[in-house]
């Protein structure tokens, strides 16, 4: 598969073009980091106030309507929650490792392409997708994207999409579980103890148990508003203090087993008992990390030490399509739509909450993407990033920013490590639950004893976790390239399906046409490049069956399923407008 690792050399362009770009690069390479972040925040604020509200006005909401969370309340998946609680779940679930890793890796092309894609993608691609997926689900009884496709496209398209999404969920669980286990690993390769890692693992373990107690207390004693926020902050500070004081040292393998056990528990327990309260607690940690980055940039006023543009091809990697699959979270991510329609839509208490939850959460994630880009480029030397992983680059810089508040270096390292692990942890619990529900929906059409057995909540969760564990054994570096392309391809499929929903219900859908077409072309191009890379390994004799062979099978399956979904959705999208249903 394509290697998206950091590189610092560029392929020569046409001399005249290259000379012009170099002049441009010198003029803007010394851009002030604070200015860039401020520009991004202002643009995102205007986008929310004007474009986001315009979408709401164009499609219409009913503030007095009874949402699916109330109509189908079951105390498990459908559970009404406050606006901030749903926002916390949405933001915590979608803000995975992507907003940190993607922009930093994409800086190989220069900071301007990465910055522009985050801005344009976040406003017109990602936020629109997340909000529309949430909107469509709430307006259709809290149904997932698969069931929405079934209603507006047909059963065949639904089955293809559900199978695609289930395969994609395996990649997400595998990649992020490996990241979590590696982050919590308390031992170095030479056997030395890694205190910050062990402390982060200890804090994360406390998070699970404290979250359940917190969720029970909030539900039992009807705690809300300011009291809930104060209680959450007290719990968070206490967990961090106890975890740092009592680090738990365990190997990566042990943490991998623990991670998968946690995924199982999170998938089968009621939303209000674990996932919602844990996300509620985590959102303060994640927002605090973003705030630390912004404050650090405000105080430190760093200079961007990376070229504005390094070339259309860098180390044989073309800007198109690599840039657009490297930066997913922060610009547009298909996974977000699964959260919007899979879990968040089932907890929305009022349709007015859909804009801040769907559109707003994505824009804040885009801010994190810009902050990550600025932080990484500010520590570059002579136009080259440090030779370290994106997490290490980001974490070390954020750790220094924490010192602004008088926090000791060791404590700041523990907190930053915990924040990084939280990015993965808040994703895998939600995606495991979503993957389980996807499998159940896929099997619901079959009336056999085997289908009924596999549709059991516990069995469906196990069936989802086992293949993802096998994928995880190869390490996230072998999964990440395929995950990135599949994630963006999922976004294209979701945008096409949502365009069908809008058109069929008599709503304007033209604002989705460019994003869905662009993302489909980008991702299919990236997958073709990946297949070419595997072919090159085969010819060179470096093909590894259990790694490259498995990725080859998954890549071909994803491309086939994607084409089938587009085929069925396309027929409805260009079909007779007389078939349009009454707007709902």
């Amino acid at each position: 598969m394509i290697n998206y690792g950091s590189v610092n050399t560029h392929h020569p362009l046409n001399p005249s073009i290259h000379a012009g770009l170099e002049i441009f690069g010198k003029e803007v390479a010394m851009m002030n980091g604070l200015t860039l972040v401020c520009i991004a925040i202002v643009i995102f604020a205007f986008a929310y106030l004007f474009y986001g509200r315009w979408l709401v006005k164009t499609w219409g909401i009913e503030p007095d309507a009874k949402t699916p969370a109330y109509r189908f309340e079951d105390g498990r998946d459908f559970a009404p929650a406050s606006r901030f609680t749903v926002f916390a779940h949405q933001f915590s679930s979608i803000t995975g490792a992507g907003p940190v890793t993607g922009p930093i890796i994409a800086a190989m092309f220069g900071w301007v392409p990465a910055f522009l894609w985050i801005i344009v993608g976040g406003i017109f691609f990602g936020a629109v997708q997340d909000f529309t997926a949430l909107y469509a689900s709430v307006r259709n009884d809290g149904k997932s994207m698969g069931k929405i496709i079934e209603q507006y496209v047909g059963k065949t398209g639904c089955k293809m999409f559900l199978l695609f999404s289930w395969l994609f969920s395996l990649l997400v669980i595998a990649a992020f579980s490996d990241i979590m286990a590696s982050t919590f690993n308390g031992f170095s390769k030479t056997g030395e103890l890694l205190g910050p890692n062990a402390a982060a693992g200890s804090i994360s373990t406390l998070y699970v148990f404290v979250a359940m107690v917190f969720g029970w207390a909030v539900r039992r004693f009807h705690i809300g508003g300011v009291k809930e926020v104060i209680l959450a902050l007290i719990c968070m500070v206490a967990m961090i203090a106890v975890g740092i004081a009592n680090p738990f040292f365990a190997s990566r393998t042990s943490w991998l087993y623990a991670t998968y056990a946690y995924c199982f528990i999170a998938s089968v327990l009621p939303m209000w008992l674990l996932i919602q309260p844990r996300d509620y607690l985590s959102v303060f940690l994640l927002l605090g990390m973003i705030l630390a980055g912004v404050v650090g940039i405000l105080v430190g006023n760093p200079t961007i030490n990376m070229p504005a543009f390094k070339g259309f091809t860098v180390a044989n990697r073309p800007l198109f399509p690599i840039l657009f699959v490297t930066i997913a979270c922060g610009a547009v991510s298909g996974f977000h739509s699964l959260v919007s329609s899979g879990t968040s839509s089932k907890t929305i208490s009022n349709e007015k909450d859909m804009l801040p939850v769907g559109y707003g959460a994505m824009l804040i994630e885009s801010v994190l993407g810009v902050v990550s880009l600025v932080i990484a480029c500010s520590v570059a030397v002579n136009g080259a990033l440090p030779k370290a992983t994106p997490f290490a680059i980001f974490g070390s810089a954020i750790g220094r920013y924490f010192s602004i508040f008088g926090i000791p270096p060791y404590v700041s390292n523990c907190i930053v490590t915990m924040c990084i692990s939280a990015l993965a942890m808040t994703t895998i619990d939600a995606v495991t639950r979503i993957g389980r529900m996807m499998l159940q929906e896929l099997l619901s059409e079959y009336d056999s004893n085997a289908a009924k057995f596999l549709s059991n909540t516990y069995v469906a969760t196990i069936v989802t976790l086992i293949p993802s564990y096998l994928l995880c054994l190869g390490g996230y570096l072998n999964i990440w390239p395929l995950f990135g392309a599949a994630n963006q391809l999922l976004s294209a499929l979701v945008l096409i399906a949502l365009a069908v929903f809008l058109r069929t219900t008599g709503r304007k859908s033209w604002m989705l046409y460019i994003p869905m077409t662009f993302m489909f072309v980008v991702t299919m191009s990236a997958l073709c490049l990946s297949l070419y890379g595997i072919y090159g390994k085969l010819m060179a004799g470096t093909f590894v069956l259990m790694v490259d062979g498995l990725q080859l099978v998954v890549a071909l399956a994803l491309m086939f399923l994607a084409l089938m979904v587009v085929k069925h959705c396309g027929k409805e999208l260009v079909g007779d407008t007389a078939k349009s249903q009454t707007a709902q």
Side-chain angles (χ1 to χ4, degrees):
M1 309 302 286
I2 297 173
N3 179 8
Y4 299 129
S6 299
V7 291
N8 299 304
T9 59
H10 59 77
H11 187 276
L13 302 168
N14 177 282
S16 59
I17 298 177
H18 185 66
L21 291 174
E22 278 197 341
I23 294 173
F24 168 74
K26 290 177 180 178
E27 290 178 348
V28 295
M30 302 301 289
M31 167 69 74
N32 183 276
L34 174 60
T35 302
L36 204 61
V37 171
C38 290
I39 289 173
I41 292 175
V42 170
I43 292 175
F44 289 138
F46 270 90
Y48 180 87
L49 294 174
F50 294 100
Y51 192 57
R53 289 181 176 177
W54 177 79
L55 292 176
V56 171
K57 184 179 179 180
T58 301
W59 295 334
I61 62 170
E62 298 178 16
D64 298 326
K66 211 169 186 181
T67 63
Y70 285 108
R71 288 189 283 113
F72 304 105
E73 185 174 1
D74 58 8
R76 197 173 195 87
D77 293 321
F78 290 86
S82 67
R83 175 183 297 181
F84 185 75
T85 299
V86 185
F87 170 86
H89 165 67
Q90 176 83 6
F91 178 72
S92 297
S93 297
I94 68 175
T95 307
V100 173
T101 58
I104 293 177
I105 294 174
M108 72 171 96
F109 296 107
W111 65 263
V112 167
F115 178 76
L116 292 178
W117 173 231
I118 293 173
I119 296 294
V120 176
I123 294 172
F124 299 106
F125 288 62
V128 172
Q129 174 207 253
D130 296 5
F131 169 68
T132 313
L134 180 63
Y135 180 87
S137 183
V138 170
R139 283 302 180 94
N140 285 276
D141 300 331
K143 293 178 180 177
S144 69
M145 280 305 306
K147 287 300 182 181
I148 292 173
I149 290 176
E150 179 180 4
Q151 180 171 342
Y152 295 99
V153 177
K155 287 188 176 181
T156 303
C158 168
K159 290 178 182 178
M160 294 295 178
F161 180 84
L162 287 174
L163 184 55
F164 180 98
S165 300
W166 184 73
L167 286 173
F168 172 72
S169 72
L170 304 184
L171 295 172
V172 178
I173 298 169
F176 284 78
S177 294
D178 182 67
I179 290 174
M180 269 191 60
S182 299
T183 302
F184 294 157
N185 181 17
F187 305 98
S188 67
K189 292 181 179 180
T190 57
E192 297 175 351
L193 297 180
L194 303 176
N197 290 22
S202 181
I203 298 170
S204 296
T205 303
L206 287 172
Y207 249 96
V208 175
F209 295 102
V210 172
M212 289 192 286
V213 175
F214 180 83
W216 173 83
V218 168
R219 189 179 179 89
R220 174 67 176 81
F221 300 106
H222 305 288
I223 302 173
V226 177
K227 293 181 180 178
E228 186 178 12
V229 173
I230 293 175
L231 179 61
L233 290 174
I234 292 174
C235 289
M236 186 187 71
V237 173
M239 285 186 293
I240 291 175
V242 173
I244 291 176
N246 300 277
F248 183 73
F249 292 91
S251 66
R252 173 191 174 277
T253 302
S254 298
W255 278 117
L256 196 60
Y257 293 148
T259 298
Y260 272 86
Y262 167 71
C263 288
F264 177 84
I265 294 171
S267 175
V268 301
L269 287 182
M271 281 285 293
W272 63 265
L273 184 57
L274 178 55
I275 290 183
Q276 273 188 351
R278 202 197 58 73
D279 285 345
Y280 188 92
L281 294 171
S282 295
V283 76
F284 295 102
L285 195 65
L286 298 178
L287 290 176
M289 181 179 66
I290 297 175
L291 181 62
V294 172
V295 171
I297 292 172
L298 284 172
V299 176
N301 197 18
T303 298
I304 293 180
N305 298 316
M306 286 286 288
F309 184 74
K310 301 185 74 172
F312 291 105
T313 301
V314 177
N316 296 321
R317 297 171 178 82
L319 186 148
F320 180 92
I322 300 304
L323 172 69
F324 306 100
V325 296
T326 300
I327 301 181
C329 297
V332 57
S333 168
F335 165 69
H336 295 186
S337 67
L338 302 184
V339 177
S340 294
S341 63
T343 53
S344 296
S345 64
K346 297 175 177 61
T347 58
I348 287 285
S349 298
N350 192 299
E351 289 194 4
K352 292 190 299 183
D353 299 343
M354 292 190 291
L355 180 62
V357 171
Y359 201 89
M362 177 61 206
L363 292 186
I364 294 180
E365 185 186 49
S366 296
V367 171
L368 176 58
V370 173
V371 169
S372 301
L373 178 66
V374 169
I375 287 175
C377 293
S378 67
V379 297
V381 179
N382 297 324
L385 292 177
K387 293 182 178 180
T389 64
F391 271 154
I393 296 172
F394 181 80
S396 62
I398 289 291
R400 290 198 298 271
Y401 292 158
F402 273 127
S403 64
I404 296 174
F405 305 101
I407 300 176
Y410 178 78
V411 175
S412 67
N413 286 338
C414 293
I415 295 175
V416 169
T417 304
M418 175 56 204
C419 289
I420 291 173
S421 65
L423 292 174
M425 191 175 184
T426 55
T427 297
I428 59 171
D429 53 11
V431 79
T432 303
R433 192 180 193 92
I434 292 168
R436 180 261 295 175
M437 291 190 293
M438 290 284 182
L439 183 59
Q440 288 176 311
E441 289 182 5
L442 188 62
L443 295 169
S444 64
E445 299 295 326
Y446 303 95
D447 188 20
S448 65
N449 292 331
K452 291 179 181 178
F453 172 74
L454 293 173
S455 295
N456 176 274
T457 298
Y458 301 97
V459 176
T461 300
I462 293 173
V463 172
T464 299
L465 290 176
I466 289 177
S468 74
Y469 175 77
L470 296 177
L471 284 169
C472 183
L473 296 179
Y476 85 94
L477 288 177
N478 289 313
I479 305 168
W480 196 264
L482 182 57
F483 157 72
N487 182 41
Q488 300 303 72
L489 183 54
L490 176 61
S491 175
L493 301 183
V494 168
L495 287 166
I496 294 171
L498 292 173
V500 173
F501 156 74
L502 293 171
R503 185 174 185 274
T504 305
T505 55
R507 296 180 173 89
K508 294 178 180 178
S509 58
W510 56 264
M511 62 286 291
L512 270 60
Y513 292 167
I514 292 179
M516 72 185 190
T517 304
F518 181 77
M519 294 311 301
F520 184 76
V521 173
V522 161
T523 49
M524 292 302 281
S525 300
L527 284 172
C528 287
L529 284 176
S530 296
L531 293 178
Y532 183 75
I534 292 177
Y535 173 76
K537 287 186 176 182
L538 185 62
M539 293 295 98
T542 58
F543 183 88
V544 180
L545 182 61
M546 291 304 295
V547 177
D548 301 310
L550 183 59
Q551 292 187 34
L552 175 62
V553 172
V554 174
L556 290 174
L558 291 174
M559 293 177 75
F560 172 76
L561 292 171
L563 291 172
M564 291 299 100
V565 173
V566 170
K567 175 185 175 182
H568 288 85
C569 289
K571 288 181 179 179
E572 297 297 322
L573 194 58
V574 300
D576 189 356
T577 56
K579 294 180 180 179
S580 296
Q581 301 177 13
T582 303
Q584 52 180 306

